[in-house]
Amino acid sequence: AKALGSGAVRLFNPEMQQSISRRLHLEAALRTAIDEQLMELYLQPQVDIAGTVTGGELLLRWQDDEFGSVPPNEFIPVAESSGLIVPLGNWVIEEACRLLQQWSKDADLSQLQLAINISPRQFRQASFVDYIEACMARYQVPRGRLELEITENMLIDNVDMTIKRMSKLGDAGVRFSLDDFGTGYASLAYLKRLPIYQLKIDQSFVRDVLTDINDAVIVETIVGLGESLDLDVIAEGVETADQAEALRGLGCTKFQGYYFGRPQPVTYWVERLRT
Ligand code: C2E
Ligand code: CA
Ligand code: CA
Ligand code: CA
C-alpha cells in the first residue's frame, strides 16, 4: 500500500479529533447550562436619529465553569446542530415576553421594542407560531413590541410556509427585522410579499463605510430600498462617531453598536432608561 505522504489528509487528524471532542463537551455543558438556567441575556440599545433609545436587542451570554465565557458564535452553531436551540430559543422568547410585560407597566419603558434572534431550526419547528402566541398571551405583550430578527436565507427555505408563519405572527402583533441584510440570498420579490418592517444593514458594510466606497454604496442602496418599500433601516456594528456621521450622511436613521451602547445586563440599561 502507498504510504501517506506528509501532505496527505487523514480522516481523523489530531486537530479534528480535538475539535470534535471540544464540540461534544460543549454540547454537554450547554445542555446542563440550559437545564440549570445558567444562560444570561444582555441588552444592546438601538437608537433613532436624535440618539433616543427606541428599544434593544437581546443577546445570549454563557459563562461556563469549565470553558469560561463561550461566545454565541461558538455555542449557537452547537445549539443548532444538536437541537438544543429549541429549548434555548423558547427560553429567550419567554424572557422577552416577561420583560415586555414588566416594561408595559412603566411609562419610561412602555414604548420600547425588544428584538430577539431566531435561528432557522427554531423557525421550522411546527409549534413555533403557537409557542410565541401562547407566550404573548400569557405575558399580555402589547402589539408591536416584540421583534423577531431573522436572516434572509431563512426566507428562501420554504417560501409558502415562511409567508404563512410570518403573516400569522404579524397578525398577532409581532414585527420582523431582516438581520445581516445584504449578506444573504433573499430576492427583492420576497421583501414585498413578506410582512417585514425593518432591514438591518450588516456590520460588515458599516465597518469600512468611511474608507470603502463599495460599502458606502451598498449602505446607500439598502437605505433607498427601505425608502421605496417603506421599511425601516437600521445600521448595526456602529463603533465610532465618524461611522455614525457617515451613515447619517447616507440616509441612515436608526443605529446600533458599541458607540451608542454595548450589550450589558438588562438591568444596567433599564436603570439608565428610567428617568
Ligand atoms: P447578530 O444577531 O448579528 O448580533 C450582533 C453581534 O454584534 C452581537 O454579537 C453584538 O454583541 C455584536 N456587536 C454589537 N455592536 C457591535 C459593534 O459596534 N462592533 C462589533 N464588532 N460588534 C458589535 P454577539 O452577542 O457575540 O452575538 C453573535 C451572534 O450570535 C449574533 O449575531 C446572533 O447571530 C447570535 N445570537 C446571539 N444571541 C442569540 C440568541 O438569543 N438566539 C440566536 N438564535 N442567536 C443568537
Ligand atoms: Ca441580530
Ligand atoms: Ca446582525
Ligand atoms: Ca451576524
Side-chain angles (χ1 to χ4, degrees), residues 73 179-180 202-203 236:
N73 286 332
D179 209 352
D180 307 336
D202 189 64
Q203 55 188 58
E236 70 175 337

Side-chain angles (χ1 to χ4, degrees), residues 40-42 44 57-61 71-77 80 85 88-89 91-92 116-120 122 149 151 179-180 200 202-203 206-207 236-240 243 256-263:
E40 268 188 294
L41 283 165
Y42 275 31
Q44 184 177 36
E57 178 179 3
L58 285 178
L59 294 158
L60 274 167
R61 293 292 177 264
N73 286 332
E74 187 171 9
F75 71 76
I76 293 291
E80 272 264 323
I85 194 68
L88 182 56
W91 178 73
V92 173
I116 57 177
N117 292 283
I118 301 296
S119 285
Q122 241 183 309
E149 296 195 356
T151 55
D179 209 352
D180 307 336
K200 255 188 129 167
D202 189 64
Q203 55 188 58
V206 169
R207 195 174 304 127
E236 70 175 337
V238 185
E239 294 183 349
T240 68
Q243 284 173 340
Q256 180 181 350
Y258 296 163
Y259 176 65
F260 296 98
R262 287 187 176 256

Side-chain angles (χ1 to χ4, degrees), residues 218-236:
I218 290 170
V219 168
E220 210 168 19
T221 304
I222 298 175
V223 169
L225 190 63
E227 277 163 7
S228 358
L229 295 175
D230 199 21
L231 301 173
D232 276 17
V233 173
I234 184 168
E236 70 175 337

Side-chain angles (χ1 to χ4, degrees), residues 54-56 96 100-101 103-104 109-116 136 140-148 172-175 197:
T54 57
L100 283 167
Q101 181 183 44
W103 294 0
S104 71
L109 310 172
S110 64
Q111 299 308 307
L112 298 176
Q113 318 268 330
L114 189 56
I116 57 177
M136 289 178 75
Q140 296 164 293
V141 173
R143 297 181 61 82
R145 298 282 165 258
L146 180 65
E147 187 177 310
L148 305 186
V174 172
R175 287 178 151 188
Y197 103 98

Side-chain angles (χ1 to χ4, degrees), residues 21-256:
S21 151
R22 178 175 164 88
R23 210 181 159 92
L24 288 174
H25 277 102
L26 268 182
E27 187 183 320
L30 184 60
R31 194 180 299 275
T32 307
I34 296 167
D35 282 349
E36 295 178 3
Q37 300 199 308
L38 302 175
M39 306 300 289
E40 268 188 294
L41 283 165
Y42 275 31
L43 182 68
Q44 184 177 36
Q46 301 176 332
V47 305
D48 66 13
I49 194 93
T52 306
V53 175
T54 57
E57 178 179 3
L58 285 178
L59 294 158
L60 274 167
R61 293 292 177 264
W62 178 25
Q63 177 73 39
D64 185 73
D65 287 344
E66 184 189 347
F67 291 101
S69 149
V70 187
N73 286 332
E74 187 171 9
F75 71 76
I76 293 291
V78 174
E80 272 264 323
S81 66
S82 60
L84 287 171
I85 194 68
V86 175
L88 182 56
N90 283 349
W91 178 73
V92 173
I93 291 165
E94 178 156 11
E95 285 298 296
C97 290
R98 207 176 48 78
L99 280 170
L100 283 167
Q101 181 183 44
Q102 285 174 9
W103 294 0
S104 71
K105 295 172 182 152
D106 186 324
D108 294 324
L109 310 172
S110 64
Q111 299 308 307
L112 298 176
Q113 318 268 330
L114 189 56
I116 57 177
N117 292 283
I118 301 296
S119 285
R121 186 152 175 184
Q122 241 183 309
F123 189 79
R124 282 200 301 268
Q125 287 284 306
S127 57
F128 182 70
V129 171
D130 288 344
Y131 185 85
I132 291 192
E133 285 184 347
C135 257
M136 289 178 75
R138 180 157 6 111
Y139 294 98
Q140 296 164 293
V141 173
R143 297 181 61 82
R145 298 282 165 258
L146 180 65
E147 187 177 310
L148 305 186
E149 296 195 356
I150 60 174
T151 55
E152 282 168 87
N153 295 342
M154 269 167 67
L155 304 180
I156 54 182
D157 222 29
N158 181 340
V159 180
D160 290 336
M161 176 205 80
T162 303
I163 293 179
K164 220 188 242 159
R165 292 192 180 178
M166 286 179 71
S167 306
K168 195 135 187 283
L169 287 170
D171 291 344
V174 172
R175 287 178 151 188
F176 287 93
S177 183
L178 275 191
D179 209 352
D180 307 336
F181 190 73
T183 63
Y185 298 98
S187 91
L188 297 184
Y190 295 146
L191 293 186
K192 244 355 246 182
R193 285 174 70 194
L194 294 166
I196 292 163
Y197 103 98
Q198 177 174 268
L199 308 176
K200 255 188 129 167
I201 302 175
D202 189 64
Q203 55 188 58
S204 63
F205 306 120
V206 169
R207 195 174 304 127
D208 301 323
V209 71
L210 288 158
T211 52
D212 188 336
I213 185 70
N214 295 312
D215 289 341
V217 167
I218 290 170
V219 168
E220 210 168 19
T221 304
I222 298 175
V223 169
L225 190 63
E227 277 163 7
S228 358
L229 295 175
D230 199 21
L231 301 173
D232 276 17
V233 173
I234 184 168
E236 70 175 337
V238 185
E239 294 183 349
T240 68
D242 286 348
Q243 284 173 340
E245 200 43 51
L247 290 163
R248 254 182 233 117
L250 296 168
C252 252
T253 55
K254 287 173 84 178
F255 310 90
Q256 180 181 350

